[in-house]
Amino acid sequence: MNAIPLIITIDGPAGVGKTTLARKLADSLDIAYLDTGAMFRAVGLILERKGCGHDQEKIKTILAGISFGLEGSARQSSVTLNNSRLGPEIRTEEVGMLASRAGQLEVVRDFLKETQQRIGGSTSLVAEGRDMGSVVFPGARYKFFLDASPRTRAERRVSQLESMGIKADYGLILAQMIKRDEQDRTRAIAPLRPAPDAYVIDTGKYCPDGVLEEIHRVLQSGNKQPGANA
Ligand code: DC
């Protein structure tokens, strides 16, 4: 009989360091890493290219032709779209905004939730996104919510984009990030917010490895909820 998959969720706003951390955590636990932002980005870009607007029927037809999967393991895990890896074109702040808009649509959220739950039903995961602990995997073994000030996050996003060879303007990134956060936090379905049983970590107070150490400390304590007794 297969063991029940271990699910660890990492949620939080843009640029908070979720991806770096989720990859390192997945590596240290030797389990897969699921980048759900990449799924919203890919869908947002496709809907934009096809000029769907809010046409539900058209969106449903497009989603019916999309199949997401996960290949590779640990930090090398990568989301696939119709069996191909996603390219760097989804990583711009503009596509982030398209993803955030697509994420407001119930039909898109339902489709991706089902996909993510199917993947997590058979594979142990570090699942990264906005609603992993609150909506998609409410029964996850451990839940973390990372936060930091918009300035800290914008600085981090600029260096991340530059390391990928994408030119970035700090002021513009900060403005776009604040707008995207507002959109993600106030949407009607699955808004960005910590699950009630999530550990909230202010990443601005730590170096990246410090956050990883803090998470390992929680995992080793065996406490599934903040404040719970071991
Ligand atoms: O994590 P990211 O920046 O790649 O995410 C891009 C957008 O996708 C984000 O602004 C909102 C949306 N998103 C979402 O609504 N739910 C998720 N689980 C992941 C991303």
Side-chain angles (χ1 to χ4, degrees):
M1 205 172 75
N2 288 337
I4 296 171
L6 166 69
I7 307 289
I8 298 174
T9 61
I10 302 192
D11 290 304
V16 78
K18 298 188 298 291
T19 303
T20 310
L21 187 94
R23 282 205 177 121
K24 285 186 180 172
L25 184 61
D27 238 5
S28 65
L29 300 173
D30 198 20
I31 62 176
Y33 149 68
L34 183 67
D35 175 2
T36 63
M39 295 172 158
F40 281 91
R41 284 170 181 265
V43 169
L45 188 56
I46 292 171
L47 298 185
E48 173 74 4
R49 283 180 175 164
K50 304 251 181 197
C52 289
H54 284 87
D55 184 337
Q56 294 275 325
E57 288 314 307
K58 198 167 172 186
I59 294 172
K60 274 188 194 160
T61 308
I62 288 167
L63 293 178
I66 289 179
S67 168
F68 282 110
L70 189 62
E71 66 170 41
S73 61
R75 71 180 302 120
Q76 303 296 346
S77 320
S78 183
V79 170
T80 58
L81 170 67
N82 297 341
N83 294 319
S84 297
R85 287 194 173 215
L86 298 168
E89 71 279 3
I90 63 162
R91 297 295 165 190
T92 65
E93 197 46 43
E94 287 68 29
V95 176
M97 188 55 89
L98 294 177
S100 177
R101 271 192 227 130
Q104 293 178 316
L105 305 173
E106 191 170 11
V107 60
V108 171
R109 296 216 77 86
D110 285 350
F111 170 75
L112 289 182
K113 180 176 159 186
E114 202 182 303
T115 303
Q116 292 151 5
Q117 288 179 337
R118 173 178 52 75
I119 295 172
S122 59
T123 312
S124 289
L125 293 176
V126 175
E128 177 221 321
R130 301 291 186 287
D131 59 342
M132 294 296 101
S134 54
V135 175
V136 178
F137 298 114
R141 185 93 62 87
Y142 295 96
K143 301 178 184 180
F144 297 93
F145 187 93
L146 308 188
D147 216 344
S149 73
R151 284 181 175 277
T152 305
R153 294 188 284 116
E155 279 164 17
R156 200 177 275 141
R157 181 48 60 96
V158 167
S159 36
Q160 194 183 37
L161 289 172
E162 285 176 349
S163 73
M164 291 190 283
I166 301 172
K167 221 168 157 282
D169 174 319
Y170 171 78
L172 186 64
I173 295 278
L174 178 64
Q176 287 170 327
M177 206 169 243
I178 290 171
K179 189 168 173 213
R180 185 146 69 92
D181 279 356
E182 173 68 8
Q183 204 164 270
D184 291 345
R185 288 185 205 273
T186 57
R187 68 174 169 237
I189 321 157
L192 169 66
R193 69 170 64 127
D197 51 350
Y199 282 86
V200 179
I201 300 176
D202 179 350
T203 67
K205 292 188 182 160
Y206 298 86
C207 61
D209 283 344
V211 180
L212 186 64
E213 280 164 22
E214 180 63 14
I215 290 185
H216 274 296
R217 197 190 55 71
V218 170
L219 302 189
Q220 276 156 17
S221 78
N223 288 341
K224 293 181 190 170
Q225 293 192 22
N229 293 321

